């Protein structure tokens, strides 16, 4: 390790905030985290947007503030890693760098009808799944890009003339940091677009034609751990940008799930479970997603994934819309204040349901209400919904991969909630392991950036840095577990196909 260089910076651009984390490679500790929230825009029911200029301002502001607070020297920085909300897309003018429309967020359902039309062609849907590992859903990037081209005046003509750039948030941030010199995306983000062939590792011409997206709009694809450009925005020293990964793949890497069969669950705005499946893609009969975990030194590692669209966002709903809580941290004590939910189930299908249901027309529901149901029951049922959603995914993941799950590594903000972690262990009937630092999404790109710049030697070196805070073991009997889960499945049925 260089005596002069010591720190790696992680830019963690999420769905509700942009954060900067500074990692000390000598002490293996996080020395500073700065968080800058940004606005959520809901133009119509089911539509979700972000202002790209606000995202950039929030991310750059948090970066500058974090360095100032830490009092580190620019010359001490090994490199910058970027992790980001996936599937969210921005289209911007190649000459000016200005977005031509707001970012369309992964949660947005505006292209549902477009997706349903494609899905009616069964053979085409099968081909898309074989190529991308994904299913046709408004969740992914391709239909969002098409919507912008079809609905912003003059956009399609400019795109065909090569005057527009399209990319996920990682691409946009690198473009801004390098002042337009680098236009790239990594394997993990490309694999979430419905435009990338996960076997050939290239943009797929047939898919580009299907979605009517000019190839010249799309970035160069790079590995997850390599120097892709330099930024001089922080001073007179060029800092390498040397690690990139979508947030969930980054968390899998940050949890050191390097071996086949290892799995993690991240509780963020959504809930995301990924399992390492090794060097070959595994297509799931249960409609879980096949994706790329990471590519390093010419070797690609694949993963299987299930997504819960609303996890932490359901707690935000309790706070901001229902006003049942003032702070998310209150939910643990409130949920523990009652012995159960009194038969209440909350299905937070605010933007449809993800795996394994894949129902874009599902909507949220509170069922099982009686006159005795109160605030505590609704709060507890909302937390329990995250555990039920995880069980939905992991039951199918175990079946599809033929792997017996002995433990699940948990991270994200809600992993701090001891009630949720215990209930998750009870529902899954396996150990839940919480690392000492739940900042594993940011740590993933710290590790990737450090491998590319020499801060870390190899994967074994990384495994030696991780420590664990607590292990939750199942306490619930099987009869109770099955009864509670059956109630959840019944509740989900009430929310399916709500919208016409």
């Amino acid at each position: 390790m260089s005596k002069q260089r010591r720190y790696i910076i992680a830019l963690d651009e999420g769905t509700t905030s942009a954060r900067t984390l500074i990692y000390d490679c000598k002490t293996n500790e996080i020395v500073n985290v700065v968080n800058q929230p940004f606005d959520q825009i809901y133009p119509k029911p089911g539509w979700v947007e972000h202002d790209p200029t606000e995202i950039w301002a929030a991310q750059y502001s948090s970066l500058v503030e974090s360095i100032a607070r830490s009092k580190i020297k620019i010359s001490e920085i090994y490199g910058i890693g970027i992790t980001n909300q996936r599937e969210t897309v921005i289209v911007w003018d190649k000459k000016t760098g200005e977005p031509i429309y707001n970012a369309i967020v992964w949660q947005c359902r505006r292209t549902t009808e477009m997706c349903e039309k494609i899905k009616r062609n069964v053979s085409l849907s099968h081909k898309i799944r074989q190529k991308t590992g994904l299913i046709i859903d408004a969740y992914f990037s391709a239909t969002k890009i098409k919507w912008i081209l079809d609905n912003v005046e003059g956009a399609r003509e400019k795109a065909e003339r090569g005057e527009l750039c399209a990319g996920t948030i990682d691409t946009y941030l690198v473009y801004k940091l390098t002042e337009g010199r680098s236009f790239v995306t990594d394997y993990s983000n490309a694999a979430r677009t419905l435009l990338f062939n996960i076997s050939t590792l290239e943009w797929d011409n047939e898919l580009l034609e299907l979605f009517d997206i000019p190839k010249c709009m799309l970035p160069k694809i790079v590995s997850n751990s390599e120097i892709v450009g330099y930024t001089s925005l922080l001073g007179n020293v060029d800092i390498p940008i040397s690690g990139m990964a979508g947030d969930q793949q980054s968390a899998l890497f940050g949890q050191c799930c390097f071996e086949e069969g290892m799995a993690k669950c991240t509780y963020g705005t959504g809930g995301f479970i990924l399992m390492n499946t090794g060097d070959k893609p595994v297509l799931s009969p249960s409609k879980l997603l096949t994706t790329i975990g990471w590519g390093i030194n010419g070797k690609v590692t694949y993963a299987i994934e299930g997504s819960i669209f609303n996890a932490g966002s359901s707690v935000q709903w309790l706070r901001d819309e229902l006003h049942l809580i003032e702070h998310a941290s209150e939910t643990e004590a409130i949920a523990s204040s009652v012995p159960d939910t009194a038969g209440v189930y909350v299905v937070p299908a605010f933007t449809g349901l993800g795996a394994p249901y894949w129902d874009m027309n599902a909507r949220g529901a509170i069922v099982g209400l009686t006159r005795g149901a109160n605030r505590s029951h609704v709060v507890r049922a909302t937390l329990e919904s995250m555990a039920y959603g995880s069980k939905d995914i992991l039951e199918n993941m175990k079946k599809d991969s033929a792997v017996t799950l002995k433990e699940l590594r948990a991270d994200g903000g809600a992993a701090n909630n001891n009630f949720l972690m215990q209930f998750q262990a009870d529902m899954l009937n396996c150990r839940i392991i919480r690392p000492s630092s739940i900042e594993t999404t940011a740590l993933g790109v710290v590790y990737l950036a450090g491998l590319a710049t020499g801060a870390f030697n190899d994967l074994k070196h990384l495994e030696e840095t991780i420590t664990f805070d607590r292990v939750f073991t199942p306490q619930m009997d099987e009869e109770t577990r099955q009864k509670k889960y059956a109630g959840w499945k019944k509740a989900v049925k009430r929310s399916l196909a709500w919208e016409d």
Side-chain angles (χ1 to χ4, degrees), residues 8 24 46 48 52-53 104 113 117 127 132 169 172 185 207 236 255 264 270 274 296 399 433 447 470:
I8 295 176
D24 187 328
V48 190
T53 58
I104 300 182
E113 187 176 339
K117 185 176 180 181
K127 180 182 288 188
T132 67
I169 300 293
Y172 181 67
T185 192
L207 296 177
N236 57 4
Q255 288 274 29
K264 70 88 194 176
L274 273 76
I296 302 176
K399 180 176 64 177
I433 299 178
Y447 294 161
R470 183 170 169 182

Side-chain angles (χ1 to χ4, degrees), residues 265-276:
C265 181
T266 297
Y267 300 90
T269 301
F272 302 89
I273 299 174
L274 273 76
M275 178 186 287
N276 183 329

Side-chain angles (χ1 to χ4, degrees), residues 305-321:
E305 174 180 341
S307 306
I308 307 163
F309 289 163
N310 290 279
S313 58
S314 63
V315 176
Q316 291 176 330
W317 167 71
L318 291 176
R319 182 192 65 199
D320 300 339
E321 274 70 46

Side-chain angles (χ1 to χ4, degrees), residues 62 70 95 152 229 374 386 391 498:
S62 74
S70 304
K95 185 179 293 185
V152 175
N374 61 35
M386 298 186 213
K391 185 174 176 66
W498 185 262

Side-chain angles (χ1 to χ4, degrees), residues 215-287:
K215 192 173 187 178
C216 60
M217 293 183 71
L218 299 179
K220 175 185 175 183
I221 300 161
V222 297
S223 76
N224 295 86
S225 182
E226 67 173 280
I227 296 174
V228 299
Y230 294 84
T231 184
S232 55
L233 295 180
L234 300 172
N236 57 4
V237 177
D238 285 340
I239 302 173
I241 301 166
S242 52
M244 298 166 64
D247 52 10
Q248 302 315 316
Q249 288 97 325
S250 186
L252 188 69
F253 199 83
Q255 288 274 29
C256 295
C257 293
F258 302 143
E259 296 180 15
E260 186 175 342
M262 297 183 74
K264 70 88 194 176
C265 181
T266 297
Y267 300 90
T269 301
F272 302 89
I273 299 174
L274 273 76
M275 178 186 287
N276 183 329
T277 61
D279 60 2
K280 292 184 175 60
V282 175
L283 288 180
S284 162
S286 305
K287 296 185 178 179

Side-chain angles (χ1 to χ4, degrees), residues 293-347:
W294 50 80
I296 302 176
N297 297 327
K299 179 183 177 182
V300 171
T301 296
Y302 291 88
I304 190 169
E305 174 180 341
S307 306
I308 307 163
F309 289 163
N310 290 279
S313 58
S314 63
V315 176
Q316 291 176 330
W317 167 71
L318 291 176
R319 182 192 65 199
D320 300 339
E321 274 70 46
L322 298 191
H323 303 290
L324 295 182
I325 58 172
E326 289 188 14
H327 304 286
S329 58
E330 298 171 27
T331 57
E332 181 178 334
I334 294 171
S336 301
S337 71
V338 289
D340 52 42
T341 65
V344 175
Y345 287 87
V346 173
V347 183

Side-chain angles (χ1 to χ4, degrees), residues 105-238:
V105 180
W106 60 272
Q107 297 167 311
C108 189
R109 314 310 292 168
R110 76 184 65 193
T111 61
T112 295
E113 187 176 339
M114 190 189 306
C115 293
E116 293 290 0
K117 185 176 180 181
I118 297 171
K119 284 167 69 174
R120 291 186 197 113
N121 187 329
V122 178
S123 62
L124 180 59
S125 296
H126 178 72
K127 180 182 288 188
I128 291 171
R129 183 155 174 74
Q130 291 291 321
K131 285 173 177 280
T132 67
L134 310 176
I135 68 164
I136 306 298
D137 192 89
Y139 179 28
F140 303 110
S141 307
T143 58
K144 303 180 195 299
I145 298 173
K146 177 173 170 54
W147 188 94
I148 292 174
L149 294 181
D150 290 344
N151 288 274
V152 175
E153 186 176 354
R156 184 161 293 284
E157 291 76 13
K158 291 185 72 173
E160 290 171 352
R161 291 197 300 267
E163 297 173 6
L164 295 181
C165 297
T168 42
I169 300 293
D170 59 309
T171 301
Y172 181 67
L173 291 180
V174 172
Y175 193 89
K176 298 292 284 185
L177 285 166
T178 61
E179 299 173 274
R181 293 185 297 273
S182 295
F183 182 44
V184 297
T185 192
D186 67 89
Y187 287 141
S188 67
N189 277 291
R192 312 296 297 188
T193 61
L194 275 177
L195 298 171
F196 182 71
N197 190 311
I198 61 173
S199 297
T200 65
L201 306 180
E202 298 175 332
W203 297 122
D204 191 282
N205 291 327
E206 190 174 5
L207 296 177
L208 290 168
E209 184 177 350
L210 168 66
F211 291 104
D212 201 12
I213 296 173
K215 192 173 187 178
C216 60
M217 293 183 71
L218 299 179
K220 175 185 175 183
I221 300 161
V222 297
S223 76
N224 295 86
S225 182
E226 67 173 280
I227 296 174
V228 299
Y230 294 84
T231 184
S232 55
L233 295 180
L234 300 172
N236 57 4
V237 177
D238 285 340

